Amino acid sequence: MAKWNDYQLMTTVAGKIGGPRVLILAIAAGGALVYKGGEVGVKAVVRTTRSIKQALHVHAQAAAMSRIYRVSEDADAGGGLTLRTGDEFRVLARDDTAILIEVVGSTKNPWYVSRDLLAAISDFTIDGDRP
């Protein structure tokens, strides 16, 4: 019975829009629009992904080339981070009193640390180079 209903719906729609040829052309045009819209959408996603990947790569290169600071005395930086004498770190970002650092050689990065603590225990300066 479902096939009869489908046939009836198809013939009714075809009659309302001008016949079976127009119905076939409308279905083909709708399919082409869906296909082209999908293609445009996928290309936009690929383009955006590439630009984000490139921006992250540039940021990673800048972080890798940034200045390395050396810790001169042991300190507990909070959050599970203990900086030891001789440890080295890079500044990734800063925001007022919080500094985002990468401890060189550590697998648990990045860390937020107080700028005052870093200035007190290392060769980091509060008004030094900004990343």
Side-chain angles (χ1 to χ4, degrees):
M1 196 63 167
K3 289 184 180 183
W4 171 250
N5 289 338
D6 293 343
Y7 176 76
Q8 188 177 13
L9 175 68
M10 220 169 48
T11 55
T12 304
V13 170
K16 288 182 180 181
I17 64 170
R21 287 189 180 137
V22 176
L23 177 64
I24 291 171
L25 289 174
I27 290 172
L33 280 173
V34 168
Y35 174 79
K36 204 59 168 163
E39 179 184 353
V40 168
V42 167
K43 284 183 179 181
V45 167
V46 167
R47 194 171 29 253
T48 303
T49 304
R50 282 186 184 152
S51 69
I52 290 171
K53 185 178 176 183
Q54 182 181 12
L56 289 175
H57 180 69
V58 167
H59 183 69
Q61 279 183 329
M65 296 177 66
S66 67
R67 180 167 175 212
I68 295 178
Y69 299 94
R70 186 176 297 270
V71 176
S72 58
E73 61 182 81
D74 294 354
D76 180 20
L81 174 64
T82 303
L83 294 169
R84 305 270 181 224
T85 303
D87 282 351
E88 296 178 329
F89 66 90
R90 287 186 178 97
V91 174
L92 301 177
R94 51 173 80 194
D95 181 30
D96 289 333
T97 60
I99 308 291
L100 182 66
I101 66 167
E102 172 192 7
V103 179
V104 176
S106 174
T107 58
K108 296 181 180 180
N109 281 312
W111 298 92
Y112 279 103
V113 182
S114 163
R115 73 173 182 185
D116 298 327
L117 175 69
L118 289 177
I121 66 164
S122 69
D123 55 349
F124 173 79
T125 58
I126 293 174
D127 297 323
D129 299 331
R130 291 195 170 264

